[in-house]
Amino acid sequence: MAINSFTFAVLLLLISSLTFLLSNDDKYALLAIKTNIIDRSGILSNNWSTTSNSSICSWIGVSCDLNNKRVTALNLSNMDLARAIAPVIENHSFLTSLDISYNNLSASLSNITKLETLNLRFNLLTGYVPDEIFNISSLRVIDLAANDFYGSLPLDICSSYVHKLEGIYLFLNRFEREIPSSRLDAKLRANSPSDRIGNLIGLASLVLDSNELLGYIPSTLKRFKNLEGLYLELNELEGSIPNDLC
């Protein structure tokens, strides 16, 4: 059974749990996460332990900054984990990469200033994707593929907040309606040179296949000169890819 919603409050608290002022607080936050999820393979149960004197930076799936020993990346991919990730309070984050792909987890995200890579691929997440996720200005890669998200693509997918985006992976969901080109067109008609070329100038991969998208393929795609991968098949889109797309 699919998890009922993509609750962004939970992931906020997850990431906040890794942002206390001391690395020791990072340890307690990780232990709280371990306690509150179902670890069916025992990977975290056997590795994230206080019985040894090992640093949390040596724990499986955990990467730290070499200077201040703060957790900067969390990779729990393909560990047979289930349940919502536990809330642990705090507001600031050193986390730049979060990968919980290929599990049965739910999580939530908002107001994180340093996150660059978010990978939630192949979970059982369902519901609408809130626009707030695209307010994280540091994001470079967002991967929500192979879940059960539905509704329109967020309008803020092309906003100035996410001008650093290099990869968007949303395939194998149930997104519908049109690709939000109107926001793109507005940006491209703006007065300043930087706005005229669009805020997603660094985009290299746009993967939207196997959804329920309809309407016309936006002509503004031809403005993205760094685009190397474009996947739109298995939708209800009309028109053709611009001939001069690079």
Side-chain angles (χ1 to χ4, degrees), residues 95-244:
L95 198 70
T96 61
S97 177
L98 176 63
D99 186 348
I100 62 171
S101 58
Y102 297 94
N103 284 292
N104 187 4
L105 290 169
S106 64
S108 162
L109 177 66
S110 177
N111 195 33
I112 306 304
T113 59
K114 294 185 178 181
L115 194 64
E116 297 179 2
T117 302
L118 175 65
N119 188 353
L120 308 183
R121 173 184 296 217
F122 279 93
N123 278 278
L124 292 179
L125 301 167
T126 186
Y128 295 98
V129 177
D131 290 348
E132 287 81 0
I133 194 172
F134 293 99
N135 289 343
I136 304 172
S137 61
S138 55
L139 268 180
R140 295 184 180 274
V141 176
I142 179 168
D143 192 338
L144 308 180
N147 283 286
D148 191 34
F149 293 119
Y150 51 79
S152 302
L153 292 175
L155 290 177
D156 284 342
I157 197 170
C158 303
S159 76
S160 59
Y161 296 112
V162 287
H163 62 281
K164 295 180 180 178
L165 269 176
E166 298 172 2
I168 301 174
Y169 303 89
L170 306 179
F171 63 89
L172 286 174
N173 281 286
R174 291 191 290 136
F175 291 113
E176 57 187 5
R177 302 179 187 173
E178 298 179 351
I179 298 174
S181 59
S182 59
R183 182 68 60 90
L184 273 173
D185 293 336
K187 296 293 182 184
L188 296 172
R189 288 195 298 267
N191 291 326
S192 71
S194 60
D195 286 336
R196 283 200 302 270
I197 59 176
N199 285 315
L200 296 182
I201 192 63
L203 195 66
S205 297
L206 180 61
V207 185
L208 303 177
D209 60 279
S210 304
N211 280 283
E212 299 172 11
L213 297 169
L214 50 82
Y216 287 93
I217 296 173
S219 62
T220 46
L221 290 174
K222 66 184 179 182
R223 305 294 183 103
F224 304 131
K225 301 304 181 182
N226 291 327
L227 199 61
E228 297 176 356
L230 176 65
Y231 300 88
L232 303 176
E233 63 267 24
L234 298 178
N235 284 289
E236 298 295 329
L237 295 167
E238 300 180 47
S240 58
I241 305 297
N243 292 329
D244 53 351

